[in-house]
Amino acid sequence: MTIERSANLGLANMAGCAGDGRVAIVGAGPSGSLLALALAQRGYRIDVYECRSDPRKQITGGGKSINLGLSKRGMQALQMVDLLDEVLRRAVTMRGRVIHALDGTVRFQPYGKNKDEVLHSVDRNELNRMLLEEAAQYPSVKLHMQHRLVRADKERRELEFTVAGQTVTVSTAWVIAADGAFSTMRSELQHGERADYHQEFLEWGYKELTLPAGRDGASRVDLTALHVWPRSQCLIVTHPNRNGSHTLTLLMPFDGQDSFATTQAPAEVEALFAKYFADLIPLMPDLVEQWMRHSPASLVTIRTAPWAFGDWAVLVGDACHAVYPFYGQGMNSAFEDCSVLVQMLEQCQGDRGAAFQEYELARRGHTDVLCELTKANFIELSQKVQSPWFLARKRLDLAIHRLWPEAWIPLYTMIAHTTIPYGEALKRSRRQERILLVGSALFLVFATVGTIVVYALVG
Ligand SMILES: Cc1cc2nc3c(=O)[nH]c(=O)nc-3n(C[C@H](O)[C@H](O)[C@H](O)COP(=O)(O)OP(=O)(O)OC[C@H]3O[C@@H](n4cnc5c(N)ncnc54)[C@H](O)[C@@H]3O)c2cc1C
């Protein structure tokens, strides 16, 4: 067993908390990498521990989605570390959704009212690599790859890792847990505490496939949009890639009729696509081979409390609030956590424990709301996007937004294109909903009374 001791434990002498010895970040996914960079830029000394091999040398992700939709909250965090322009240069802009109906007809729904209200499809690994490469340029940052956290001792302030079959224990002044939805750090920290933990798996899973570019390298469907094939029994969502291909995420139940359980043999895969996604068959000549290569993955939401453990540890990103991907907000909200945590540390006057608490207070209620919103958006994406009533309601929402852009903002716009806290966005949207309901009722009353009066006068 090796014991590594970091220098300067417990120094707290600056307006912020940068003088507090070395910080350990467990997990070098999007949140851990972004925090490593943001904190290095602010003078912190950092050790990043990641169980995978170096993401800078990997081409594909470990089973996770290949690309992600980046929106306002994530963009603001990338701006904080001065990487936004570079990320956007490598992203594909998505102006809206293209809905593919069962009969092959398509309909475009813009994401917003102007060219700024768009999403950006970014390559997950490329983004992760960029963040780590930037962070690694700081001499104050040390990256420890293939270090799997197995234990954390709150009393002794120690972390224990397995590294190539060996156990390595390190002491650290404080630690940020960014080790994802199934965080070991979280369960270690919660051990012996009055902690809440709620985890929910969706009965649907997902499989990722690729819709390749044509022979000329051009995209086979509009490249500048997210495409959706909504069906009540299954659903496809695609994100575009720079090379003209699209990453296609097929979601459906694990069990039951038309499920992953009933779609295993080549003929079953072909039958599923012929039934629900016939227009994709000619565009995906290697559909069956792709299907066989990938196993379905599950989707989980997680809510937990507390996020802060004295002045020693704090949770960020999926480690404290994993959400379903139906709002495209998992990474965006994780990045927003990072912005808020950095801001609280900057203001903490040396009191790191207070900074952690302020951060949790500012975030947890809102990410709990996001969790519920993503569940509701699953219904929207799989069922409602085709309903004429729903589409009319969306158009009305956007029309009022165009008339009064500040006073009236559709819920999706608030979530994706603003940084209005999630809970506040939901409250505002419910208020707008009530106004719309009362307005429609009054309109109906006046229209009915008017019609009766006209009939009475004429007849
Ligand atoms: C299908 C799908 C589509 C998605 N689409 C979007 C989207 O369009 N937009 C969006 O904003 N979000 C999206 N998300 C969500 C997004 O992927 C996550 O919210 C985001 O990856 C969270 O980042 P994180 O750094 O907190 O956690 P993670 O990405 O899970 O990173 C955690 C890191 O910790 C490491 N780790 C884990 N355990 C240990 C350990 N014991 N020791 C050391 N290291 C460890 C892991 O290897 C990993 O590198 C999607 C998710 C899925 C599943």
Side-chain angles (χ1 to χ4, degrees):
M1 178 187 282
T2 323
I3 301 276
E4 295 171 5
R5 298 245 167 235
S6 62
N8 302 329
L9 292 186
L11 291 180
N13 53 5
M14 300 174 63
C17 297
D20 292 7
R22 294 192 76 83
V23 48
I25 298 179
V26 180
S31 338
S33 313
L34 181 90
L35 268 175
L37 176 57
L39 293 178
Q41 289 172 339
R42 284 157 184 78
Y44 289 78
R45 287 159 301 140
I46 299 146
D47 289 288
V48 180
Y49 297 95
E50 166 60 48
C51 63
R52 290 176 301 159
S53 49
D54 197 332
R56 291 170 297 174
K57 296 173 191 154
Q58 284 177 0
I59 296 159
T60 54
K64 283 272 187 68
S65 63
I66 294 155
N67 46 20
L68 302 162
L70 175 70
S71 53
K72 181 78 177 179
R73 296 164 205 268
M75 287 161 65
Q76 196 180 49
L78 289 168
Q79 183 90 61
M80 169 181 79
V81 293
D82 217 13
L83 264 190
L84 179 60
D85 291 344
E86 187 54 34
V87 171
L88 292 188
R89 255 195 295 282
R90 301 181 193 199
V92 182
T93 303
M94 300 185 286
R95 299 170 297 119
R97 293 170 180 164
V98 175
I99 308 298
H100 296 252
L102 193 56
D103 63 6
T105 53
V106 294
R107 186 200 300 263
F108 178 73
Q109 296 174 356
Y111 275 132
K113 65 179 186 331
N114 60 44
K115 68 175 178 41
D116 294 329
E117 293 183 352
V118 293
L119 304 185
H120 304 274
S121 175
V122 297
D123 181 311
R124 175 194 284 275
N125 291 315
E126 194 173 21
L127 176 62
N128 214 164
R129 269 199 305 274
M130 282 169 73
L131 289 166
L132 275 183
E133 271 161 13
E134 285 294 317
Q137 289 190 9
Y138 285 80
S140 57
V141 176
K142 286 189 192 151
L143 303 182
H144 308 265
M145 295 299 159
Q146 294 177 306
H147 277 57
R148 176 176 294 278
L149 178 93
V150 286
R151 210 149 295 137
D153 187 328
K154 283 176 288 198
E155 307 306 319
R156 300 168 69 92
R157 301 193 162 215
E158 285 180 354
L159 303 173
E160 193 178 304
F161 297 92
T162 50
V163 189
Q166 301 286 313
T167 301
V168 174
T169 304
V170 300
S171 289
T172 184
W174 53 291
V175 52
I176 297 174
D179 52 343
F182 302 102
S183 168
T184 306
M185 194 64 205
R186 178 187 62 225
S187 42
E188 287 294 297
L189 288 166
Q190 291 186 341
H191 191 74
E193 302 274 344
R194 281 180 288 109
D196 290 331
Y197 178 71
H198 178 83
Q199 160 185 310
E200 204 176 315
F201 278 96
L202 193 67
E203 59 276 19
W204 287 34
Y206 72 96
K207 200 182 257 262
E208 290 199 321
L209 307 166
T210 302
L211 173 60
R215 287 216 179 121
D216 55 357
S219 171
R220 314 291 295 270
V221 293
D222 181 356
L223 188 71
T224 61
L226 177 136
H227 293 258
V228 188
W229 280 257
R231 312 286 181 256
S232 52
Q233 188 61 23
C234 46
L235 165 72
I236 285 181
V237 180
T238 67
H239 281 86
N241 299 307
R242 274 203 313 274
N243 64 5
S245 69
H246 294 249
T247 303
L248 185 155
T249 308
L250 184 144
L251 298 112
M252 78 176 168
F254 279 107
D255 301 299
Q257 198 196 349
D258 293 337
S259 64
F260 284 116
T262 60
T263 315
Q264 297 193 26
E268 291 168 340
V269 179
E270 282 161 1
L272 181 92
F273 272 71
K275 186 170 174 186
Y276 293 113
F277 313 112
D279 48 348
L280 279 171
I281 295 176
L283 308 182
M284 299 178 68
D286 62 344
L287 166 65
V288 171
E289 290 80 0
Q290 284 199 51
W291 188 275
M292 297 301 165
R293 273 201 301 273
H294 303 278
S295 343
S298 53
L299 294 167
V300 69
T301 64
I302 284 165
R303 282 180 283 118
T304 191
W307 295 6
F309 296 82
D311 70 348
W312 189 57
V314 68
L315 308 175
V316 295
D318 275 17
C320 47
H321 55 76
V323 294
Y324 295 146
F326 305 114
Y327 242 111
Q329 282 296 306
M331 176 192 67
N332 285 291
S333 61
F335 277 2
E336 199 173 42
D337 288 351
C338 301
S339 310
V340 174
L341 181 59
V342 167
Q343 186 195 340
M344 296 308 176
L345 286 167
E346 278 179 338
Q347 295 167 2
C348 81
Q349 302 292 330
D351 186 351
R352 199 174 50 233
F356 290 173
Q357 283 203 345
E358 289 295 320
Y359 153 74
E360 178 175 348
L361 201 65
R363 296 294 294 155
R364 185 155 55 77
H366 294 295
T367 54
D368 284 352
V369 167
L370 175 64
C371 197
E372 296 310 313
L373 285 176
T374 62
K375 290 181 196 170
N377 218 37
F378 171 53
I379 313 283
E380 175 171 329
L381 270 181
S382 60
Q383 293 167 20
K384 291 192 191 164
V385 278
Q386 298 207 84
S387 128
W389 167 247
F390 173 81
L391 291 174
R393 166 80 182 72
K394 277 251 163 206
R395 272 198 286 272
L396 182 59
D397 230 11
L398 269 181
I400 307 177
H401 179 44
R402 280 201 180 94
L403 281 176
W404 295 287
E406 300 298 323
W408 187 283
I409 314 180
L411 179 61
Y412 184 84
T413 306
M414 285 190 268
I415 300 297
H417 306 312
T418 77
T419 54
I420 297 172
Y422 296 118
E424 221 169 279
L426 181 64
K427 265 193 215 144
R428 272 182 81 159
S429 140
R430 286 195 174 140
R431 207 162 47 232
Q432 291 171 185
E433 202 74 47
R434 282 196 297 275
I435 294 171
L436 218 54
L437 216 65
V438 172
S440 314
L442 285 177
F443 175 78
L444 273 179
V445 169
F446 282 125
T448 313
V449 171
T451 313
I452 293 168
V453 169
V454 168
Y455 269 107
L457 290 175
V458 174

